[in-house]
Amino acid sequence: MVLLAWIFCFCLLLAPATAQSWATIPFSTQSLPIALRSPYLNSWLSQGKAPSATPFASNTFWPVFWTTSPPAQIVAWYVAIRVDGVMYNVFGGQNLPHVANQTAAIITPTQTSFILQAGPVNVNSTFLSPIEPTDLVRQSMPFTYLYVDVTSADGQPHSVQLYSDISAEWLSGDRTMICNWTANINSDYISLQTQLQSPIPFAEIGEQALDTTAYLSMSKQASTTWQIGGNNRGVFNNTGVLLGTQENNFRGISDAFPTFGIAVDLGNITQTSAPSVWLLGLLRDPVVQYTNGDGNKEMRSSYFWSQQANPLAAVSFLLNDSSRALDAGNAMDAKVLADARKISSPYADMVTMSARQVMSAIDITVKKDSSGKWNTSDVKAFFKNMGSVGGPGVNSVDVLYSAFPAYLYFNPAIAGYLLSPLLEFQNSKQYALPYAAHDLGLAYPNATGNSNPHNEGIEQSANMLIMTLAHAQFTGDGALISNYYTLLRDWADYLVNNTLSPGAQTTSDGLTITNQTNLAIKGIIGIAAMAKISTFAGDSTSATHYQTVSSNYENQWQALSFPSNTSHLLSGYGSQSSSGLMYNLYSDKLLQLNVVPNSVYDAQTTFYSQNSASFYGFSRCKHRISSLISGNGSPYDWMMLAASTSSNTATRDALVLQIHNFVTAGVTSNSFPLIYDPTSAKAGGGPGR
Ligand SMILES: *[C@@H]1O[C@H](CO)[C@@H](O)[C@H](O)[C@H]1NC(C)=O
Ligand SMILES: *[C@@H]1O[C@H](CO)[C@@H](O)[C@H](O)[C@H]1NC(C)=O
Ligand SMILES: *[C@@H]1O[C@H](CO)[C@@H](O)[C@H](O)[C@H]1NC(C)=O
Ligand SMILES: *[C@@H]1O[C@H](CO)[C@@H](O)[C@H](O)[C@H]1NC(C)=O
Ligand SMILES: *[C@@H]1O[C@H](CO)[C@@H](O)[C@H](O)[C@H]1NC(C)=O
Ligand SMILES: *[C@@H]1O[C@H](CO)[C@@H](O)[C@H](O)[C@H]1NC(C)=O
Ligand SMILES: *[C@@H]1O[C@H](CO)[C@@H](O)[C@H](O)[C@H]1NC(C)=O
Ligand SMILES: *[C@@H]1O[C@H](CO)[C@@H](O)[C@H](O)[C@H]1NC(C)=O
Ligand SMILES: *[C@@H]1O[C@H](CO)[C@@H](O)[C@H](O)[C@H]1NC(C)=O
Ligand SMILES: *[C@@H]1O[C@H](CO)[C@@H](O)[C@H](O)[C@H]1NC(C)=O
Ligand SMILES: *[C@@H]1O[C@H](CO)[C@@H](O)[C@H](O)[C@H]1NC(C)=O
């Protein structure tokens, strides 16, 4: 069934382009990922609900930065084609008399393609954001590709020129800031660069970094031309050839919007033999400042600098790599989709939506050693919390926990690079709290530590134990456990003292009732994880101790949270009319701990199945709804975690379908949000904070 649907979808592409309508394949969604390679190279296109009619298409709107809540911040990337002297918009909301007709948008885990008809030719413009998780050099390069293919629609040759530009909107959320620019031209490539004239290291406005340099590049051929200025598009329109000049009045980003354009003349063709390729990069160096275990501030650079001498060397490397990169993207898509479709087709769609998102939330870094050489044994990764759950911040532990399965899937070593700075900082004299920190710094990219007391001691301590064990289980690498064993045991002891009566402690979902069932079980699972960690460390006495405590606590927890006269877990001890989404059971399954007996999973699954009729999510989970009404949403990751604990596939699939319903309903133009309100189907923040 799944395969048939997929093939059928492609039939639409072959149908003649009638009456300006189009579909998004293989599922309809309003907002499509465009360029997602780092927390700052992160753009989406809200093209409207498909299938639809123009003017709602990729070439009538501008792509926006990931924080799409109003006002959406445009980060322009523009594409046009000139056919037999007539210029058509292909991508971006420039107002032109001739607008190509979109016939399809196609989305895969690594790519978004737009298929358009521009007069007598068909155009395929494909945005690839590579996911190369086991190649740290390529994965850490914040560059994204655009491939454009053209085919004659009437079999006749046509004179074709292609054009793409960016604006300097990528450089700041304050569009009055002054940018400057340089054209780097040699025999191999054209690379147009722009940066703020007064960059501010590690600072942000509107979540956009103020220390980036943007590069739009293309391999040099006889027919490639470039121009920097305010009227490149007009020049292209007139002749199809750019002037090779730059304006000299460095100015504000939105002051007669300087654009950085590169064009290629393909001559008279019936079809391109290879795509024309543009490369967009957004570089920062260093990317993160990190306070290490000795209390010193480390300036950390993207991992790829250990292999590339300078930005233009990186540009040249990636331009030469463009054909391999596309093949690798296709191979990654095939693997991810095959794996995800083993669960279900709607699940594969959700993975398609989130794959680029989750991989672009991190910076993988190295630093130089005292002799000035890159130390590639010293890898640390940093995660920007791009959502409104858990507050902004660096490596926010509870949000990292939700994203963790993706890193374990793509490359579990990355999961370890993300844990490493959290463990190092908290193992040092700078950190004295008896429970784990909420994050590693209040605002990305300043990983300068956070020792502030907070009310999520159980949540975060258990998260750290669970993630550390997961990393060891998925990699077989016990280094983090042996380096930080005492710290991990302290957190486990904290859980032993606190988790059975969590009192007023909270989880990250904003629920405030006392003695939360879902929180207590997370701590109990954390203690069971510690038993396995002790086994890993060869400390069998402690392993037995933590195992005994967790199983004893689980018995008491069940009596408190699952009285014999109810059919499901209560969301608070003794709160007889309560119920909830027990998403924290997920890690019991992930780590194969078997803390909670199947009878509890079965009862909870039956409860979910009886309550899964609502279209977008769990509005009948009573204590959840109270927090929803007060403004928080139903996090899709929490629903996804709960779905993973279902004892039967029908209930699991029903939960996944609710999220799918939300994404495909066209009720919001936001990018895939971290949370949404299942009652109003409004995105509850982040992206769209
Ligand atoms: C778009 O489609 C309409 C209807 O088929 C057609 O009249 C028009 O010429 C097309 N425009 C382009 C640019 O191909
Ligand atoms: C669009 O172009 C990309 C990149 O060249 C290619 O992988 C993809 O198959 C093309 N899609 C269609 C529908 O032609
Ligand atoms: C642009 O500004 C940057 C940052 O101040 C500076 O390093 C660079 O030299 C300037 N470039 C030009 C061409 O003025
Ligand atoms: C990070 O710290 C620097 C000072 O080192 C500061 O200028 C910057 O605003 C901070 N960044 C954020 C996002 O708060
Ligand atoms: C392109 O040129 C045509 C014909 O001169 C004109 O109608 C159109 O407005 C121009 N478009 C742009 C973007 O300059
Ligand atoms: C393309 O074809 C047109 C007319 O068919 C002709 O005028 C023009 O010279 C050709 N251009 C090239 C580069 O061959
Ligand atoms: C890319 O290819 C060009 C042309 O073959 C070559 O001159 C250049 O050195 C290559 N760049 C890199 C980084 O290998
Ligand atoms: C490189 O990093 C590793 C891991 O942090 C460290 O053990 C080693 O001492 C470092 N090497 C140098 C030369 O600093
Ligand atoms: C746990 O409680 C015991 C007894 O009150 C106390 O001695 C110990 O310090 C506590 N440990 C932690 C980690 O809070
Ligand atoms: C929380 O649960 C514990 C264990 O049942 C109980 O002793 C305590 O009174 C409860 N606290 C509150 C505030 O209900
Ligand atoms: C279940 O039993 C408890 C006391 O054991 C009582 O307070 C509660 O009202 C009962 N709930 C239902 C739904 O009957």
Side-chain angles (χ1 to χ4, degrees):
M1 274 316 274
V2 171
L3 192 59
L4 273 178
W6 179 248
I7 288 169
F8 176 73
C9 285
F10 271 90
C11 294
L12 294 176
L13 293 181
L14 306 176
T18 54
Q20 307 184 350
S21 75
W22 51 275
T24 303
I25 297 165
F27 59 97
S28 154
T29 181
Q30 298 224 85
S31 196
L32 297 171
I34 301 298
L36 287 84
R37 287 290 276 154
S38 81
Y40 302 110
L41 182 58
N42 218 291
S43 71
W44 295 70
L45 185 87
S46 293
Q47 59 167 2
K49 179 168 162 48
S52 182
T54 47
F56 301 109
S58 64
N59 53 359
T60 47
F61 291 98
W62 288 108
V64 293
F65 199 55
W66 65 268
T67 51
T68 49
S69 63
Q73 281 280 45
I74 291 170
V75 277
W77 193 352
Y78 177 67
V79 184
I81 186 169
R82 192 168 174 272
V83 186
D84 300 332
V86 179
M87 178 178 172
Y88 304 86
N89 256 18
V90 170
F91 185 77
Q94 172 79 7
N95 198 7
L96 285 191
H98 303 284
V99 174
N101 290 332
Q102 182 162 315
T103 53
I106 305 168
I107 176 172
T108 71
T110 67
Q111 294 161 58
T112 301
S113 300
F114 299 99
I115 313 296
L116 302 98
Q117 186 184 10
V121 304
N122 292 320
V123 188
N124 167 358
S125 60
T126 292
F127 293 88
L128 167 70
S129 291
I131 295 177
E132 308 227 28
T134 56
D135 179 338
L136 296 187
V137 172
R138 288 189 173 90
Q139 183 59 44
S140 66
M141 296 181 93
F143 286 88
T144 177
Y145 290 102
L146 164 65
Y147 300 82
V148 181
D149 283 290
V150 180
T151 312
S152 171
D154 60 7
Q156 299 302 308
H158 294 280
S159 167
V160 173
Q161 295 86 38
L162 297 171
Y163 171 87
S164 182
D165 72 35
I166 58 163
S167 71
E169 286 159 305
W170 291 92
L171 304 181
S172 172
D174 174 356
R175 302 304 169 68
T176 65
M177 291 179 88
I178 311 288
C179 60
N180 71 17
W181 48 79
T182 317
N184 307 284
I185 319 288
N186 70 16
S187 55
D188 289 339
Y189 57 77
I190 294 169
S191 183
L192 307 181
Q193 101 180 54
T194 179
Q195 58 265 312
L196 291 181
Q197 204 152 47
S198 304
I200 306 171
F202 309 115
E204 291 182 344
I205 292 178
E207 315 247 5
Q208 289 190 259
L210 302 184
D211 54 359
T212 62
T213 304
Y215 294 86
L216 184 72
S217 312
M218 187 177 222
S219 290
K220 184 123 171 64
Q221 302 148 38
S223 61
T224 5
T225 53
W226 63 276
Q227 191 169 331
I228 299 174
N231 186 33
N232 305 338
R233 295 171 195 163
V235 170
F236 177 77
N237 181 35
N238 289 340
T239 62
V241 175
L242 301 173
L243 301 176
T245 57
Q246 50 181 311
E247 291 177 359
N248 288 321
N249 52 334
F250 298 147
R251 57 187 187 267
I253 292 166
S254 63
D255 179 358
F257 288 97
T259 56
F260 304 83
I262 307 178
V264 58
D265 187 349
L266 301 177
N268 287 347
I269 57 162
T270 50
Q271 105 175 52
T272 41
S273 54
S276 297
V277 184
W278 285 260
L279 177 72
L280 172 61
L282 204 62
L283 295 188
R284 305 174 49 242
D285 187 49
V287 285
V288 166
Q289 50 178 341
Y290 163 61
T291 304
N292 67 17
D294 298 330
N296 299 321
K297 230 180 235 180
E298 294 181 359
M299 296 296 151
R300 302 201 56 101
S301 297
S302 295
Y303 185 92
F304 77 89
W305 291 110
S306 61
Q307 305 294 321
Q308 303 291 342
N310 56 59
L312 294 174
V315 163
S316 177
F317 169 80
L318 287 177
L319 286 172
N320 290 3
D321 201 42
S322 67
S323 163
R324 191 214 59 85
L326 186 57
D327 291 345
N330 290 334
M332 178 57 75
D333 288 343
K335 178 187 183 311
V336 170
L337 290 175
D339 289 344
R341 288 202 191 105
K342 286 180 202 151
I343 306 297
S344 72
S345 176
Y347 178 69
D349 292 346
M350 298 304 92
V351 168
T352 295
M353 280 300 278
S354 54
R356 276 169 282 184
Q357 200 173 16
V358 73
M359 292 310 291
S360 64
I362 59 174
D363 280 305
I364 301 172
T365 71
V366 280
K367 78 175 214 314
K368 286 182 172 158
D369 64 26
S370 47
S371 70
K373 293 207 180 69
W374 293 110
N375 183 353
T376 52
S377 313
D378 177 15
V379 185
K380 289 188 166 59
F382 298 89
F383 169 88
K384 174 160 166 142
N385 181 9
M386 296 164 76
S388 64
V389 177
V394 186
N395 291 26
S396 294
V397 175
D398 48 323
V399 184
L400 184 59
Y401 169 85
S402 293
F404 218 60
Y407 303 120
L408 292 172
Y409 171 79
F410 281 117
N411 178 5
I414 292 176
Y417 304 143
L418 287 159
L419 292 174
S420 157
L422 282 164
L423 289 164
E424 182 183 297
F425 182 81
Q426 292 174 77
N427 198 43
S428 75
K429 288 199 293 284
Q430 304 159 84
Y431 193 82
L433 298 173
Y435 49 81
H438 179 276
D439 54 61
L440 198 52
L442 293 176
Y444 206 85
N446 292 335
T448 45
N450 181 358
S451 309
N452 297 337
H454 60 82
N455 195 28
E456 296 177 1
I458 296 169
E459 164 86 31
Q460 310 301 9
S461 302
N463 286 337
M464 288 302 295
L465 293 168
I466 289 163
M467 289 192 287
T468 303
L469 177 60
H471 167 256
Q473 285 183 343
F474 278 75
T475 57
D477 174 358
L480 291 177
I481 288 177
S482 55
N483 289 346
Y484 301 109
Y485 186 64
T486 307
L487 176 67
L488 296 167
R489 223 178 38 198
D490 288 347
W491 287 336
D493 290 340
Y494 173 83
L495 293 177
V496 170
N497 280 9
N498 292 283
T499 199
L500 198 55
S501 303
Q505 284 207 32
T506 59
T507 58
S508 61
D509 61 12
L511 188 54
T512 53
I513 62 163
T514 39
N515 278 339
Q516 288 181 42
T517 304
N518 188 42
L519 178 59
I521 195 61
K522 181 171 241 172
I524 296 168
I525 292 168
I527 297 168
M530 187 65 214
K532 290 272 199 273
I533 289 172
S534 295
T535 303
F536 242 99
D539 176 0
S540 58
T541 311
S542 295
T544 308
H545 167 65
Y546 293 116
Q547 187 55 48
T548 307
V549 172
S550 90
S551 110
N552 172 347
Y553 280 14
E554 195 280 334
N555 285 332
Q556 296 184 56
W557 171 82
Q558 246 189 87
L560 291 162
S561 59
F562 198 9
S564 55
N565 63 356
T566 64
S567 62
H568 56 267
L569 289 162
L570 306 175
S571 70
Y573 297 168
S575 178
Q576 292 299 330
S577 61
S578 69
S579 58
L581 203 60
M582 298 296 160
Y583 55 85
N584 280 332
L585 293 171
Y586 170 72
S587 47
D588 187 31
K589 295 287 184 192
L590 175 74
L591 302 171
Q592 301 183 305
L593 298 171
N594 302 317
V595 171
V596 175
N598 285 339
S599 55
V600 174
Y601 285 104
D602 292 345
Q604 199 62 14
T605 302
T606 303
F607 172 72
Y608 291 153
S609 71
Q610 288 163 353
N611 288 274
S612 61
S614 90
F615 196 64
Y616 298 126
F618 262 74
S619 50
R620 286 187 59 196
C621 285
K622 296 195 179 76
H623 279 293
R624 292 277 329 129
I625 188 80
S626 62
S627 75
L628 297 177
I629 287 168
S630 69
N632 286 331
S634 174
Y636 77 81
D637 52 0
W638 296 331
M639 285 173 63
M640 211 50 115
L641 294 175
S644 315
T645 66
S646 301
S647 339
N648 64 59
T649 52
T651 304
R652 178 196 72 191
D653 292 349
L655 283 166
V656 172
L657 199 58
Q658 290 176 326
I659 306 167
H660 195 268
N661 287 343
F662 169 74
V663 170
T664 57
V667 287
T668 167
S669 60
N670 277 18
S671 41
F672 198 6
L674 195 58
I675 58 175
Y676 64 86
D677 181 332
T679 313
S680 69
K682 287 213 177 85
R689 196 187 286 185

